[in-house]
């Protein structure tokens, strides 16, 4: 069928549903939109109420002929399942043809993390001789101390801070609220940033232009964006020539791994990370176990030596 305004309207309302009700990131919403449009281009804009399970299976077979990663194929299937589930939920469709679609199993890769030495070297390399650098120092110390997601950190407001109790309220996925704990070291740099650096970062701009709610701001007084946090991490990594790709999520993985290695209860780590399911947290027990084995093999004199009887 020809593309029509009714169909475009459903696409638009679906994307709004993902953003508002499901709280998907802008990146995911954009990817889902592209995935759904690709499917309907493939089937020549067949009306959604004419789409069958068999037609969806044919499309999946079609895309599997290309050199997509399994994670990409899984996302495309997830986009279709979510879209048709939405159409059924809103009674546009009487049944959901995508209900029984099965995604390919994703390859299990353990999250990357930094060792204590690497993390210490990284944090200690950050110069604090300018307001912006002191801000970046506070950011990286806070990521390491709390395990926060980058979006949670950049979204922090002053009302979320309770530094007297070493607590910060963060709003994670699905706008779920939780409390994270702050170390004395991270709190020290955060207070230095707030008291000393933050006023200097925006000294050339009128007070009326400065975001009074946001904890972390840029030189124009606006809330600091995720890219600036990544740039700060990259700068620190380059300074010590660390041969690893370090992202904000690597700080989160490092925090969780170290908590598990040092004997923290799995449920406590789950709460601090804001994981909806304990299974998401359990992966760090595998990382910890693997790390311990590596250290054993390096340190024990008989670990790699075959003993003769």
């Amino acid at each position: 069928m020809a593309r029509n305004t009714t169909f475009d309207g459903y696409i638009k309302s679906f994307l709004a549903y993902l953003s508002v009700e499901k709280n998907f990131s802008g990146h995911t919403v954009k990817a889902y939109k592209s995935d759904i449009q690709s499917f309907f281009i493939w089937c020549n804009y067949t009306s959604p109420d004419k789409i069958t399970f068999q037609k969806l299976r044919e499309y999946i077979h079609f895309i599997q002929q290309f050199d997509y990663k399994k994670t990409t194929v899984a996302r495309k299937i997830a986009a279709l399942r979510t879209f048709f589930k939405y159409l059924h939920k809103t009674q546009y469709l009487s049944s959901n043809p995508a209900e029984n679609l099965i995604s390919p199993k994703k390859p299990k890769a353990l999250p990357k993390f930094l060792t204590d030495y690497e993390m210490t070297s990284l944090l200690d390399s950050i110069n604090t001789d300018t307001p912006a650098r002191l801000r970046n120092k506070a950011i990286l110390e806070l990521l390491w101390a709390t395990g926060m997601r980058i979006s949670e950190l950049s979204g922090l407001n002053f009302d979320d801070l309770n530094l007297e109790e070493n607590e910060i309220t963060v709003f994670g996925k699905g706008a779920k609220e939780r409390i994270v704990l702050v170390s004395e070291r991270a709190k020290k740099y955060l207070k230095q940033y707030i008291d000393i650096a933050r006023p200097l970062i925006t000294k050339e701009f009128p007070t009326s232009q400065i975001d009074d709610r946001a904890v972390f701001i840029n030189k124009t007084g606006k809330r600091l964006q995720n890219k600036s946090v990544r740039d700060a991490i990259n700068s620190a990594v380059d300074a010590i020539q660390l041969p690893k790709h370090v992202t904000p999520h690597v700080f989160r993985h490092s925090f969780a791994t170290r908590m598990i290695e040092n004997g923290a209860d799995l449920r406590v780590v789950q709460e601090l990370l804001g994981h909806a399911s304990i299974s998401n947290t359990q992966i760090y027990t595998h990382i910890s176990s693997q790390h311990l084995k590596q250290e054993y093999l390096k340190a024990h004199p008989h670990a790699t030596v075959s003993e003769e009887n």
Side-chain angles (χ1 to χ4, degrees):
M1 74 167 188
R3 183 168 177 164
N4 59 60
T5 55
T6 301
F7 179 73
D8 285 343
Y10 270 96
I11 289 286
K12 186 176 180 180
S13 62
F14 171 66
L15 298 177
Y17 162 77
L18 294 182
S19 297
V20 178
E21 293 192 36
K22 301 294 286 185
N23 198 36
F24 281 13
S25 70
H27 176 77
T28 302
V29 172
K30 184 178 180 181
Y32 272 36
K33 177 182 179 181
S34 176
D35 293 336
I36 293 165
Q37 288 177 332
S38 295
F39 168 71
F40 280 100
I41 290 172
W42 173 82
C43 66
N44 197 28
Y45 289 102
T46 299
S47 176
D49 61 345
K50 303 296 183 184
I51 297 296
T52 63
F53 175 74
Q54 183 59 35
K55 178 62 72 174
L56 290 167
R57 290 282 299 168
E58 288 176 13
Y59 179 68
I60 293 170
H61 178 71
F62 169 74
I63 63 175
Q64 286 177 333
Q65 298 176 52
F66 297 94
D67 193 24
Y68 288 126
K69 294 180 180 178
K70 285 187 177 180
T71 51
T72 302
V73 174
R75 190 204 66 221
K76 289 178 177 294
I77 295 173
L80 291 170
R81 290 181 62 181
T82 307
F83 178 64
F84 282 101
K85 182 178 180 180
Y86 170 76
L87 294 183
H88 183 225
K89 177 183 177 182
T90 55
Q91 300 182 340
Y92 179 77
L93 296 179
S94 59
S95 62
N96 178 5
E99 185 174 5
N100 295 319
L101 280 183
I102 299 175
S103 298
K105 289 185 177 180
K106 298 179 182 179
K108 292 185 178 179
L110 294 179
K112 302 289 191 298
F113 69 97
L114 298 181
T115 65
D116 283 345
Y117 174 78
E118 289 170 335
M119 184 64 76
T120 299
S121 299
L122 190 67
L123 295 175
D124 288 349
S125 72
I126 304 172
N127 202 323
T128 58
D129 58 347
T130 68
R133 288 174 180 169
L134 181 52
R135 177 201 62 201
N136 293 346
K137 171 79 168 176
I139 286 172
L140 269 61
E141 291 281 354
L142 204 56
L143 286 174
W144 165 230
T146 64
M148 276 192 284
R149 300 178 178 92
I150 184 174
S151 58
E152 294 167 349
L153 182 135
S154 59
L156 283 180
N157 294 322
F158 281 104
D159 289 344
D160 302 326
L161 306 183
N162 182 8
L163 296 184
E164 289 186 3
E165 299 295 331
N166 288 59
E167 295 179 353
I168 295 178
T169 301
V170 298
F171 296 88
K173 292 183 176 180
K176 291 183 179 178
E177 178 181 322
R178 75 180 189 279
I179 301 293
V180 298
L181 304 178
V182 185
S183 67
E184 286 295 328
R185 172 178 167 130
K187 183 172 76 170
K188 178 185 75 172
Y189 287 109
L190 179 58
K191 292 184 72 173
Q192 286 180 4
Y193 158 71
I194 292 171
D195 296 338
I196 303 171
R198 192 179 186 277
L200 295 175
I201 288 176
T202 58
K203 65 179 181 179
E204 297 180 1
F205 284 81
T207 304
S208 60
Q209 295 183 15
I210 299 172
D211 189 337
D212 292 330
R213 298 176 66 240
V215 174
F216 293 108
I217 57 176
N218 59 28
K219 63 182 181 180
T220 65
K222 305 301 181 184
R223 185 181 297 276
L224 199 69
Q225 298 301 302
N226 293 350
K227 182 181 182 301
S228 297
V229 178
R230 294 190 181 95
D231 289 343
I233 292 173
N234 291 337
S235 178
V237 169
D238 291 342
I240 63 171
Q241 298 183 328
L242 184 65
K244 282 186 177 181
H245 178 58
V246 183
T247 67
H249 232 63
V250 168
F251 277 72
R252 182 170 165 84
H253 296 325
S254 302
F255 164 83
T257 303
R258 204 65 68 246
M259 291 287 289
I260 296 294
E261 281 186 347
N262 290 332
D265 183 88
L266 203 60
R267 292 288 181 185
V268 172
V269 179
Q270 177 191 5
E271 182 69 22
L272 291 172
L273 292 175
H275 282 162
S277 170
I278 193 70
S279 62
N280 293 332
T281 316
Q282 284 174 329
I283 191 170
Y284 295 107
T285 63
H286 301 308
I287 300 174
S288 177
S289 175
Q290 186 185 66
H291 183 227
L292 290 174
K293 287 177 183 177
Q294 290 172 347
E295 293 301 308
Y296 170 77
L297 291 172
K298 286 194 299 184
H300 196 284
H302 292 168
T304 56
V305 178
S306 299
E307 294 185 2
E308 297 181 1
N309 293 328

